[in-house]
Amino acid sequence: MRAARLHGPGDVRVADELAPVPGPGEVLVRVSAVGLCGSDLHWFSEGNIGDAVLSSPLVLGHEFAGVIQGGPHDGVRVAVDPARPCGACEECLEGSRNLCPSVVFAGHGTNDGGLRELVAWPTGLLHRVPDSLSDADAAMLEPLGVAMHAMDLAGLRLGGTVAVVGCGPIGLCVVQLARAAGATRVIAVEPLAHRRQTAAAVGADAVLDPADDDILAQLDRATDGRGVDVALEVAGNDDAVRLAVIAARPGGTVVLAGIPATESTSFPAAVARRKGLTIKMSRRMKEMYPRATAVVERGLVDVRSLVSHTLPLERSLEAFRAADERVGLKVIVTPSA
């Protein structure tokens, strides 16, 4: 098979490798689509993410879908859950598999991900997708699931108001989810013009540029001086966290879903304390695939419009560069095209 491996920052090489052999409880999946995520870009540009450092060439990619090869489910199209929790720790038994301290995650550390033609994966982590979903749609279920988990943490009430700070693909999913959940006003904050345009197209009532000198005054006007019930930060930097804290009303909730490039995050603690804010950290997702599939199938979230680039596996380096330059939205690689 062919596989794309990261050998160092900015160094992605595609080469022939031996096909994986499924172990007990696993099946072979021919990978049809892989989305490149912000965390993949940390690996690509920096060679690490947080305290996890590239120690050997790694196959990236955790947003992926494919077709089962062989066995009783041969030919079934599936979305692949990239997280393999232990299933036995306190967190797993409490239903918080996303917090499992022993989780094995695709495309992270020394665990190869989906940017290859074939993957051996546990059958229990494969989710059948309907024919109405394209291969790219199926790959997008993972970032949509992350957005849904963040929304679950937010606890948005029907008729509430929302600010989404950072409108990459996950933030754009959050904008749509907030609208579907009954938000009466959704404010999007995003520095890139094409993403602001997309945010408006998918349902944001107000779209603001954080680089504007009067951004705080704009936020105040956009919320009628009240602030929002829920602010979700999906950018991964301190400026975005600051704006989320400022945007939230007294007694409101701030959900931090972005992945910072460093091990620390700062925010205006005095503002958060005076407002009595609830601040929650969002970590990946729980059991979201059936819900995410239903949300897309029913048209509550349009993931297809968020795909801006589709490239074959042989052009993986080009795909990473396009994603890293943020010239579009979601970049999809098709290993088996």
Side-chain angles (χ1 to χ4, degrees):
M1 69 168 187
R2 301 286 280 172
R5 287 191 180 272
L6 179 72
H7 288 254
D11 183 8
V12 174
R13 309 175 199 172
V14 180
D16 290 320
E17 297 189 2
L18 292 175
V21 177
E26 295 183 336
V27 295
L28 203 60
V29 177
R30 181 167 293 279
V31 181
S32 56
V34 185
L36 301 187
C37 175
S39 56
D40 293 321
L41 297 183
H42 282 300
W43 284 110
F44 174 72
S45 61
E46 301 151 23
N48 69 281
I49 181 169
D51 59 357
V53 179
L54 185 70
S55 58
S56 60
L58 176 67
V59 176
L60 294 172
H62 59 268
E63 305 174 355
F64 61 113
V67 181
I68 294 176
Q69 303 288 291
H73 300 294
D74 181 63
V76 172
R77 298 175 62 241
V78 293
V80 181
D81 187 336
R84 303 170 67 162
C86 73
C89 68
E90 183 176 359
E91 289 77 17
C92 283
L93 295 176
E94 289 177 342
S96 296
R97 63 193 296 276
N98 59 312
L99 303 180
C100 173
S102 303
V103 66
V104 174
F105 197 76
H108 183 86
T110 59
N111 309 305
D112 286 338
L115 280 172
R116 44 185 167 154
E117 291 178 325
L118 294 167
V119 171
W121 211 253
T123 307
L125 296 177
L126 304 178
H127 299 269
R128 183 189 292 260
V129 295
D131 290 339
S132 59
L133 271 63
S134 70
D135 294 334
D137 293 340
M140 286 292 294
L141 294 177
E142 199 278 342
L144 175 58
V146 172
M148 291 175 65
H149 178 60
M151 284 294 293
D152 283 352
L153 291 175
L156 178 67
R157 296 183 300 174
L158 187 66
T161 55
V162 177
V164 182
V165 186
C167 291
I170 292 177
L172 291 169
C173 285
V174 172
V175 169
Q176 296 182 71
L177 289 168
R179 181 62 71 208
T184 55
R185 187 159 182 78
V186 180
I187 300 162
V189 184
E190 165 60 43
L192 298 180
H194 67 280
R195 290 182 174 181
R196 292 198 299 273
Q197 293 169 359
T198 305
V202 299
D205 297 291
V207 182
L208 310 180
D209 183 348
D212 288 345
D213 292 338
D214 64 340
I215 181 59
L216 299 185
Q218 289 186 47
L219 267 176
D220 191 62
R221 289 194 296 271
T223 65
D224 295 326
R226 173 184 178 272
V228 294
D229 299 306
V230 172
L232 297 103
E233 175 274 318
V234 206
N237 59 68
D238 288 352
D239 288 340
V241 174
R242 171 177 170 267
L243 286 178
V245 168
I246 290 171
R249 69 170 179 83
T253 297
V254 173
V255 178
L256 306 184
I259 300 177
T262 63
E263 276 295 278
S264 63
T265 295
S266 64
F267 64 94
V271 176
R273 181 183 59 80
R274 286 196 298 268
K275 288 184 177 181
L277 298 180
T278 297
I279 298 178
K280 298 183 178 182
M281 309 294 293
S282 187
R283 166 74 164 168
R284 294 176 180 159
M285 61 172 158
K286 296 186 180 181
E287 303 296 341
M288 291 294 174
Y289 278 88
R291 289 173 58 194
T293 301
V295 163
V296 174
E297 193 171 25
R298 290 175 177 269
L300 296 175
V301 172
D302 176 12
V303 293
R304 192 166 303 182
S305 67
L306 305 184
V307 177
S308 60
H309 296 67
T310 302
L311 297 166
L313 185 69
E314 296 297 328
R315 295 170 63 186
S316 291
L317 179 57
E318 181 182 343
F320 272 101
R321 286 173 174 167
D324 195 42
E325 291 167 2
R326 290 171 169 79
V327 295
L329 297 172
K330 176 60 68 177
V331 176
I332 296 285
V333 175
T334 54
S336 297

